[in-house]
Amino acid sequence: MSARVRGVAIGVMVIAALITGCGSGTTASEQSGEPNEPGQSGQSGESPAAGDLPDVDVLTTPDGFEDVAPDQLSTEWTPLVTGEDCVLVGRAGQSADPVEDLRAASVAAVRDIASAGGADPAEVTDLELVTSGSGEGNDPAATATFASADWTGDSGAVRAASRVQNLLSYEGTGSSERLDLTFTCTDGSLDDAAWEAVMADVRPSLSWGSEEPWRDILEGVDED
């Protein structure tokens, strides 16, 4: 990467951090007191180990982008794929407390991210992301459904995607995990072609999946 492109990519990362609220080191959930922020312990117990956090695998990147993903996501916003005008960042977390409604919690997570960037998207929709497989000779692909919204702010155009889902331990107790992604383009317009090219080889990694978009693994489980 040339010095000019490297400098632009670093600038993109800084701007994306400001958009998503990580520039201050405080997440939107921390500011609002929401119970399911990444990495927050629930009142009923301790959070699972950090090594159990959801993650994102970057298989390869399109021309003009660089894979900067760490070995493991953390609860802080972390650059995953950077380009001259757009950057993909992510964070992950777990809570000792399950959520009542997976989609509602995921929608709230997206709105938290938007609020931290000074935005209020009119609509949050479902977005299907490939989690494994896809490509010639490797079908069908496994997917996961995320809540997603687009908005434009002073620092650029943003697409956010979040999924909150419950977990079930061998002991029969419930907890939850969360994965947040944002794709930010600093030129003021969301580059859908760049989004598609980057996400074609990005694989969100969660603890479990289902063919039903918002199926709750705790449904029907009686927690005493």
XYZ file of all heavy atoms in Angstrom, residues 41-131:
640
model
N -21.666 -7.506 31.867
C -22.156 -8.595 32.693
C -23.596 -8.329 33.080
O -23.974 -7.210 33.406
C -21.305 -8.728 33.969
O -19.996 -9.081 33.649
N -24.416 -9.370 33.077
C -25.769 -9.248 33.576
C -25.765 -9.328 35.092
O -24.824 -9.788 35.717
N -26.871 -8.906 35.707
C -26.937 -8.911 37.157
C -26.978 -10.323 37.717
O -26.687 -10.532 38.884
C -28.179 -8.133 37.597
C -28.094 -6.646 37.240
C -29.331 -5.885 37.668
O -30.335 -6.494 38.048
N -29.269 -4.576 37.606
N -27.349 -11.290 36.885
C -27.514 -12.645 37.390
C -26.229 -13.454 37.363
O -26.199 -14.583 37.803
C -28.577 -13.378 36.566
O -28.171 -13.443 35.215
N -25.129 -12.886 36.838
C -23.898 -13.664 36.785
C -22.824 -12.961 36.001
O -22.967 -11.811 35.613
N -21.726 -13.657 35.733
C -20.589 -13.075 35.030
C -20.707 -13.328 33.528
O -21.291 -14.322 33.092
C -19.294 -13.686 35.554
C -19.028 -13.371 37.019
C -18.802 -11.896 37.258
O -18.200 -11.243 36.382
O -19.243 -11.382 38.310
N -20.136 -12.424 32.727
C -20.112 -12.635 31.279
C -19.227 -13.814 30.927
O -18.245 -14.093 31.631
C -19.565 -11.383 30.577
O -20.451 -10.309 30.727
N -19.528 -14.539 29.852
C -18.649 -15.614 29.398
C -17.280 -15.083 29.031
O -17.080 -13.887 28.868
C -19.386 -16.170 28.171
C -20.813 -15.752 28.366
C -20.738 -14.425 29.071
N -16.335 -15.987 28.863
C -14.956 -15.601 28.553
C -14.884 -14.880 27.216
O -15.648 -15.140 26.289
C -14.071 -16.839 28.517
N -13.919 -13.960 27.098
C -13.774 -13.170 25.880
C -13.501 -14.042 24.669
O -13.846 -13.704 23.557
C -12.657 -12.148 26.060
N -12.869 -15.177 24.869
C -12.570 -16.069 23.757
C -13.798 -16.657 23.110
O -13.730 -17.205 22.015
N -14.958 -16.546 23.785
C -16.206 -17.064 23.251
C -16.996 -16.023 22.475
O -18.120 -16.272 22.065
C -17.085 -17.605 24.390
C -16.448 -18.794 25.095
O -15.732 -19.556 24.419
O -16.671 -18.950 26.299
N -16.444 -14.838 22.294
C -17.162 -13.784 21.584
C -17.396 -14.161 20.123
O -16.599 -14.875 19.521
C -16.356 -12.481 21.623
C -16.199 -11.776 22.966
C -15.234 -10.610 22.830
C -17.539 -11.287 23.486
N -18.485 -13.658 19.540
C -18.631 -13.792 18.088
C -17.432 -13.163 17.386
O -16.733 -12.324 17.957
C -19.922 -13.015 17.797
C -20.668 -13.025 19.082
C -19.623 -12.973 20.156
N -17.215 -13.554 16.134
C -16.039 -13.075 15.424
C -16.400 -12.836 13.962
O -17.521 -13.123 13.522
C -14.903 -14.089 15.540
C -13.527 -13.474 15.333
O -13.432 -12.246 15.200
O -12.542 -14.239 15.296
N -15.459 -12.315 13.199
C -15.623 -12.105 11.761
C -14.373 -12.605 11.056
O -13.257 -12.227 11.418
C -15.845 -10.615 11.427
C -15.857 -10.411 9.913
C -17.142 -10.117 12.037
N -14.561 -13.480 10.072
C -13.449 -13.970 9.254
C -13.444 -13.237 7.914
O -14.470 -13.157 7.240
C -13.585 -15.473 9.002
C -13.487 -16.289 10.285
O -12.676 -15.934 11.154
O -14.230 -17.272 10.415
N -12.303 -12.696 7.550
C -12.134 -12.056 6.241
C -11.338 -13.018 5.376
O -10.154 -13.238 5.589
C -11.410 -10.699 6.365
C -11.234 -10.076 4.981
C -12.183 -9.759 7.288
N -12.006 -13.618 4.391
C -11.357 -14.624 3.549
C -10.392 -13.979 2.567
O -9.268 -14.445 2.371
C -12.412 -15.439 2.800
C -13.506 -16.089 3.662
C -14.439 -16.906 2.781
C -12.893 -16.948 4.758
N -10.836 -12.924 1.925
C -9.996 -12.152 0.998
C -10.656 -10.801 0.813
O -11.774 -10.579 1.297
C -9.851 -12.881 -0.355
O -8.905 -12.174 -1.171
C -11.171 -12.963 -1.080
N -9.991 -9.879 0.135
C -10.552 -8.552 -0.070
C -10.498 -8.185 -1.551
O -9.613 -8.639 -2.283
C -9.769 -7.486 0.730
O -8.386 -7.549 0.378
C -9.923 -7.712 2.224
N -11.434 -7.363 -1.997
C -11.403 -6.917 -3.403
C -10.292 -5.898 -3.625
O -9.706 -5.370 -2.667
C -12.789 -6.292 -3.592
C -13.191 -5.844 -2.220
C -12.603 -6.840 -1.269
N -10.002 -5.609 -4.868
C -8.990 -4.606 -5.207
C -9.322 -3.276 -4.534
O -10.485 -2.841 -4.519
C -8.918 -4.404 -6.719
C -8.338 -5.614 -7.442
O -7.715 -6.459 -6.766
O -8.521 -5.712 -8.677
N -8.307 -2.642 -3.982
C -8.498 -1.355 -3.334
C -8.806 -1.441 -1.859
O -8.937 -0.407 -1.195
N -8.916 -2.666 -1.316
C -9.207 -2.851 0.105
C -8.134 -3.724 0.745
O -7.494 -4.542 0.074
C -10.582 -3.496 0.307
C -11.726 -2.565 0.018
C -12.241 -2.456 -1.261
C -12.278 -1.794 1.029
C -13.288 -1.593 -1.536
C -13.330 -0.926 0.764
C -13.838 -0.827 -0.524
N -7.967 -3.554 2.052
C -6.955 -4.302 2.796
C -7.585 -4.990 4.000
O -8.401 -4.390 4.718
C -5.842 -3.370 3.274
C -4.735 -4.089 4.042
C -3.659 -3.147 4.543
O -3.808 -1.920 4.364
O -2.672 -3.632 5.119
N -7.212 -6.236 4.222
C -7.652 -6.998 5.392
C -6.811 -6.574 6.595
O -5.608 -6.815 6.640
C -7.478 -8.496 5.110
C -7.790 -9.376 6.318
O -8.161 -8.850 7.383
O -7.633 -10.612 6.183
N -7.450 -5.935 7.586
C -6.755 -5.517 8.800
C -7.403 -6.138 10.034
O -7.196 -5.682 11.165
C -6.727 -3.976 8.929
C -5.905 -3.355 7.811
C -8.148 -3.395 8.949
N -8.197 -7.195 9.826
C -8.943 -7.808 10.922
C -8.005 -8.459 11.931
O -7.017 -9.092 11.560
C -9.911 -8.853 10.376
N -8.312 -8.329 13.223
C -7.509 -8.990 14.254
C -7.844 -10.473 14.324
O -8.785 -10.949 13.672
C -7.947 -8.272 15.538
C -9.375 -7.918 15.266
C -9.434 -7.571 13.801
N -7.099 -11.209 15.118
C -7.377 -12.635 15.289
C -8.719 -12.859 15.965
O -9.376 -13.877 15.738
C -6.270 -13.298 16.116
C -4.953 -13.364 15.359
O -4.989 -13.326 14.115
O -3.904 -13.429 16.015
N -9.139 -11.926 16.829
C -10.399 -12.056 17.546
C -10.981 -10.674 17.783
O -10.287 -9.763 18.203
C -10.170 -12.754 18.900
C -11.372 -12.760 19.838
C -12.525 -13.598 19.311
O -12.342 -14.771 18.998
N -13.713 -13.014 19.218
N -12.273 -10.524 17.495
C -12.942 -9.267 17.806
C -12.983 -9.054 19.315
O -12.933 -9.998 20.102
C -14.373 -9.290 17.274
C -14.609 -8.903 15.816
C -16.097 -8.906 15.523
C -14.011 -7.545 15.498
N -13.131 -7.797 19.704
C -13.286 -7.448 21.108
C -14.562 -6.636 21.268
O -15.329 -6.450 20.320
C -12.077 -6.644 21.599
O -12.108 -5.332 21.063
N -14.790 -6.129 22.477
C -15.972 -5.307 22.722
C -15.795 -3.893 22.203
O -16.743 -3.111 22.214
C -16.277 -5.260 24.226
O -15.152 -4.714 24.922
C -16.571 -6.651 24.758
N -14.595 -3.540 21.751
C -14.334 -2.217 21.177
C -14.446 -2.289 19.651
O -14.135 -3.308 19.036
C -12.939 -1.731 21.567
C -12.697 -1.632 23.061
C -13.560 -0.577 23.719
O -13.863 0.442 23.050
O -13.952 -0.771 24.878
N -14.870 -1.183 19.039
C -14.916 -1.134 17.588
C -13.520 -1.351 17.008
O -12.562 -0.716 17.436
C -15.443 0.216 17.115
C -16.911 0.415 17.330
C -17.503 1.242 18.243
C -17.982 -0.215 16.611
N -18.869 1.162 18.141
C -19.191 0.277 17.143
C -18.026 -1.144 15.572
C -20.439 -0.123 16.668
C -19.271 -1.553 15.102
C -20.455 -1.049 15.639
N -13.431 -2.265 16.037
C -12.147 -2.669 15.475
C -12.226 -2.673 13.949
O -13.141 -3.284 13.382
C -11.776 -4.091 15.957
O -11.803 -4.130 17.383
C -10.397 -4.484 15.461
N -11.297 -2.017 13.247
C -11.295 -2.081 11.782
C -11.090 -3.515 11.290
O -10.268 -4.257 11.824
C -10.109 -1.187 11.391
C -9.904 -0.280 12.562
C -10.249 -1.107 13.763
N -11.846 -3.880 10.263
C -11.753 -5.214 9.669
C -11.232 -5.159 8.235
O -10.338 -5.902 7.866
C -13.122 -5.903 9.699
C -13.773 -6.067 11.066
C -15.202 -6.571 10.917
C -12.955 -7.011 11.932
N -11.825 -4.278 7.442
C -11.421 -4.103 6.041
C -11.403 -2.606 5.755
O -12.388 -1.908 6.025
C -12.391 -4.808 5.068
C -11.972 -4.555 3.626
C -12.454 -6.301 5.355
N -10.284 -2.106 5.227
C -10.169 -0.670 4.947
C -9.898 -0.429 3.469
O -9.216 -1.208 2.804
C -9.029 -0.032 5.768
O -7.784 -0.659 5.434
C -9.281 -0.180 7.258
N -10.454 0.669 2.972
C -10.209 1.110 1.610
C -9.975 2.604 1.598
O -9.948 3.253 2.641
N -9.824 3.158 0.415
C -9.524 4.584 0.316
C -10.687 5.440 0.789
O -10.495 6.474 1.430
C -9.165 4.949 -1.126
C -8.728 6.390 -1.295
C -8.120 6.653 -2.662
O -7.927 5.694 -3.423
O -7.858 7.822 -2.952
N -11.925 5.003 0.496
C -13.096 5.801 0.858
C -14.026 5.111 1.855
O -14.877 5.777 2.444
C -13.908 6.148 -0.399
C -13.128 7.016 -1.365
O -12.492 7.982 -0.896
O -13.142 6.727 -2.576
N -13.915 3.797 2.026
C -14.855 3.062 2.868
C -14.114 2.132 3.820
O -13.021 1.646 3.499
C -15.813 2.230 2.007
S -16.775 3.193 0.803
N -14.724 1.877 4.973
C -14.122 0.998 5.968
C -15.206 0.158 6.636
O -16.315 0.638 6.896
C -13.338 1.808 7.026
C -14.242 2.779 7.765
C -12.640 0.893 8.020
N -14.893 -1.114 6.888
C -15.763 -2.014 7.629
C -15.167 -2.216 9.013
O -13.993 -2.584 9.143
C -15.876 -3.370 6.916
C -16.710 -4.451 7.626
C -18.202 -4.104 7.573
C -16.457 -5.822 7.001
N -15.953 -1.946 10.057
C -15.488 -2.159 11.424
C -16.488 -3.045 12.154
O -17.646 -3.185 11.735
C -15.296 -0.830 12.191
C -14.316 0.081 11.472
C -16.629 -0.110 12.393
N -16.059 -3.667 13.245
C -16.947 -4.545 13.993
C -16.613 -4.580 15.461
O -15.538 -4.156 15.893
N -17.555 -5.085 16.238
C -17.339 -5.343 17.658
C -18.261 -6.489 18.054
O -19.230 -6.821 17.351
C -17.612 -4.105 18.510
C -19.069 -3.683 18.562
C -19.290 -2.470 19.443
N -20.698 -2.093 19.435
C -21.190 -1.025 20.067
N -20.383 -0.227 20.754
N -22.480 -0.757 20.017
N -17.972 -7.106 19.182
C -18.757 -8.250 19.631
C -18.889 -8.209 21.141
O -18.115 -7.543 21.834
C -18.094 -9.563 19.194
N -19.855 -8.933 21.653
C -20.009 -8.984 23.101
C -20.931 -10.107 23.525
O -21.635 -10.706 22.701
N -20.904 -10.410 24.799
C -21.810 -11.378 25.389
C -22.336 -10.835 26.708
O -21.695 -10.015 27.368
C -21.121 -12.722 25.618
C -20.846 -13.493 24.338
C -20.379 -14.915 24.612
O -19.827 -15.204 25.665
N -20.597 -15.793 23.660
N -23.510 -11.289 27.077
C -24.119 -10.927 28.347
C -24.587 -12.198 29.037
O -24.997 -13.162 28.380
C -25.304 -9.987 28.127
O -26.042 -9.811 29.331
N -24.532 -12.207 30.354
C -25.028 -13.356 31.110
C -26.545 -13.434 31.081
O -27.118 -14.435 31.513
C -24.534 -13.280 32.556
N -27.200 -12.397 30.591
C -28.659 -12.377 30.527
C -29.151 -12.575 29.106
O -28.661 -11.917 28.181
C -29.196 -11.042 31.042
C -28.977 -10.873 32.538
O -28.953 -11.888 33.249
O -28.816 -9.718 32.980
N -30.142 -13.458 28.882
C -30.751 -13.580 27.555
C -31.678 -12.404 27.284
O -32.025 -11.634 28.196
C -31.534 -14.896 27.655
C -31.863 -15.026 29.109
C -30.705 -14.413 29.857
N -32.064 -12.236 26.018
C -33.022 -11.194 25.641
C -34.371 -11.837 25.389
O -34.473 -13.037 25.098
C -32.540 -10.422 24.392
C -31.221 -9.721 24.686
C -32.390 -11.349 23.184
N -35.429 -11.047 25.485
C -36.775 -11.586 25.311
C -37.114 -11.795 23.844
O -37.818 -12.736 23.486
C -37.803 -10.654 25.963
C -37.720 -10.617 27.486
C -38.857 -9.808 28.080
O -39.758 -9.374 27.314
O -38.854 -9.611 29.315
N -36.657 -10.902 22.984
C -37.004 -10.946 21.563
C -35.740 -10.660 20.760
O -35.189 -9.557 20.835
C -38.089 -9.908 21.268
C -38.588 -9.962 19.835
O -37.764 -9.801 18.904
O -39.807 -10.128 19.629
N -35.283 -11.631 19.969
C -34.017 -11.492 19.246
C -34.048 -10.334 18.259
O -33.107 -9.533 18.214
C -33.687 -12.787 18.507
C -32.900 -13.860 19.259
C -33.616 -14.305 20.526
C -32.629 -15.061 18.364
N -35.105 -10.244 17.478
C -35.143 -9.185 16.468
C -35.264 -7.813 17.119
O -34.592 -6.858 16.706
C -36.286 -9.390 15.477
C -36.203 -8.399 14.311
C -37.306 -8.572 13.273
N -37.022 -7.734 12.110
C -37.305 -6.431 12.047
N -37.887 -5.830 13.083
N -36.999 -5.738 10.961
N -36.109 -7.692 18.135
C -36.266 -6.405 18.801
C -34.941 -5.950 19.417
O -34.586 -4.767 19.354
C -37.352 -6.489 19.876
N -34.205 -6.887 20.011
C -32.905 -6.545 20.594
C -31.912 -6.150 19.519
O -31.090 -5.240 19.712
C -32.370 -7.722 21.403
N -31.964 -6.803 18.367
C -31.065 -6.475 17.258
C -31.393 -5.112 16.662
O -30.493 -4.335 16.326
C -31.138 -7.566 16.182
O -30.781 -8.831 16.705
N -32.680 -4.822 16.532
C -33.099 -3.506 16.043
C -32.639 -2.420 17.015
O -32.125 -1.364 16.603
C -34.629 -3.455 15.863
C -35.102 -2.022 15.628
C -35.055 -4.348 14.693
N -32.794 -2.674 18.317
C -32.353 -1.704 19.320
C -30.846 -1.481 19.239
O -30.362 -0.354 19.431
C -32.747 -2.182 20.716
N -30.101 -2.551 18.936
C -28.645 -2.426 18.805
C -28.283 -1.507 17.644
O -27.390 -0.660 17.752
C -28.019 -3.806 18.608
N -28.975 -1.656 16.511
C -28.722 -0.790 15.358
C -29.055 0.660 15.703
O -28.303 1.589 15.368
C -29.547 -1.257 14.135
C -29.509 -0.210 13.021
C -29.015 -2.581 13.622
N -30.165 0.864 16.375
C -30.553 2.228 16.731
C -29.578 2.837 17.745
O -29.349 4.052 17.736
C -31.990 2.248 17.259
C -33.014 1.909 16.179
C -34.405 2.384 16.523
N -35.347 2.108 15.448
C -35.501 2.877 14.369
N -34.759 3.971 14.238
N -36.382 2.564 13.442
N -29.003 2.014 18.611
C -27.963 2.501 19.524
C -26.759 3.028 18.741
O -26.205 4.086 19.057
C -27.492 1.365 20.441
C -28.392 1.172 21.649
O -29.284 2.005 21.865
O -28.199 0.179 22.379
N -26.355 2.270 17.726
C -25.203 2.678 16.911
C -25.513 3.984 16.192
O -24.691 4.908 16.159
C -24.839 1.575 15.902
C -24.406 0.303 16.628
C -23.726 2.047 14.965
C -24.292 -0.912 15.716
N -26.717 4.068 15.616
C -27.108 5.283 14.906
C -27.140 6.478 15.853
O -26.656 7.571 15.526
C -28.463 5.087 14.238
N -27.709 6.272 17.033
C -27.807 7.350 18.009
C -26.432 7.861 18.411
O -26.224 9.073 18.584
C -28.573 6.865 19.243
O -28.620 7.858 20.242
N -25.469 6.951 18.557
C -24.106 7.348 18.915
C -23.485 8.215 17.830
O -22.597 9.020 18.107
C -23.239 6.114 19.153
N -23.944 8.062 16.578
C -23.445 8.869 15.473
C -24.329 10.056 15.167
O -24.164 10.697 14.126
N -25.299 10.342 16.049
C -26.177 11.481 15.857
C -27.236 11.270 14.803
O -27.758 12.242 14.244
N -27.590 10.006 14.524
C -28.573 9.712 13.474
C -29.780 8.988 14.052
O -29.732 8.422 15.150
C -27.937 8.858 12.373
N -30.865 8.999 13.303
C -32.096 8.314 13.693
C -32.736 7.745 12.431
O -33.594 8.376 11.821
C -33.050 9.270 14.398
C -34.307 8.578 14.900
O -34.309 7.337 14.981
O -35.298 9.296 15.193
N -32.298 6.535 12.002
C -32.815 5.981 10.745
C -34.318 5.747 10.816
O -34.854 5.342 11.847
C -32.047 4.664 10.606
C -31.578 4.324 11.982
C -31.338 5.629 12.661
N -34.986 6.026 9.708
C -36.436 5.889 9.664
C -36.871 4.436 9.719
O -37.943 4.121 10.247
C -36.969 6.547 8.387
N -36.032 3.540 9.205
C -36.432 2.135 9.105
C -35.248 1.218 9.374
O -34.123 1.502 8.962
C -36.989 1.853 7.707
C -37.513 0.451 7.503
C -38.047 0.226 6.108
O -37.698 1.004 5.196
O -38.811 -0.739 5.917
N -35.515 0.139 10.104
C -34.530 -0.919 10.310
C -35.087 -2.187 9.680
O -36.197 -2.613 10.009
C -34.234 -1.151 11.809
C -33.208 -2.269 11.979
C -33.722 0.126 12.465
N -34.343 -2.774 8.760
C -34.825 -3.925 8.008
C -33.961 -5.146 8.289
O -32.915 -5.061 8.936
C -34.810 -3.622 6.499
O -33.464 -3.326 6.098
C -35.694 -2.427 6.180
N -34.404 -6.297 7.793
C -33.632 -7.524 7.910
C -32.612 -7.605 6.771
O -32.914 -7.273 5.626
C -34.546 -8.744 7.842
C -35.362 -8.934 9.114
O -35.222 -8.101 10.039
O -36.143 -9.904 9.189
N -31.412 -8.066 7.104
C -30.336 -8.218 6.122
C -29.701 -9.589 6.310
O -29.268 -9.929 7.410
C -29.285 -7.125 6.315
C -28.036 -7.209 5.439
C -28.393 -6.974 3.971
C -26.995 -6.194 5.900
N -29.663 -10.374 5.257
C -29.086 -11.726 5.326
C -27.619 -11.672 4.935
O -27.270 -11.194 3.860
C -29.853 -12.648 4.387
C -29.531 -14.129 4.572
C -30.414 -15.006 3.699
O -30.107 -15.092 2.489
O -31.393 -15.570 4.208
N -26.758 -12.152 5.821
C -25.325 -12.201 5.555
C -24.856 -13.654 5.539
O -25.316 -14.474 6.348
C -24.548 -11.429 6.624
C -24.815 -9.920 6.706
C -23.980 -9.304 7.826
C -24.526 -9.230 5.382
N -23.951 -13.956 4.625
C -23.402 -15.309 4.521
C -22.426 -15.544 5.676
O -21.542 -14.726 5.933
C -22.692 -15.504 3.178
C -22.043 -16.890 3.106
C -23.673 -15.329 2.030
N -22.604 -16.647 6.384
C -21.716 -16.976 7.500
C -20.720 -18.075 7.167
O -19.673 -18.187 7.801
C -22.534 -17.409 8.726
O -23.395 -18.505 8.369
C -23.401 -16.251 9.226
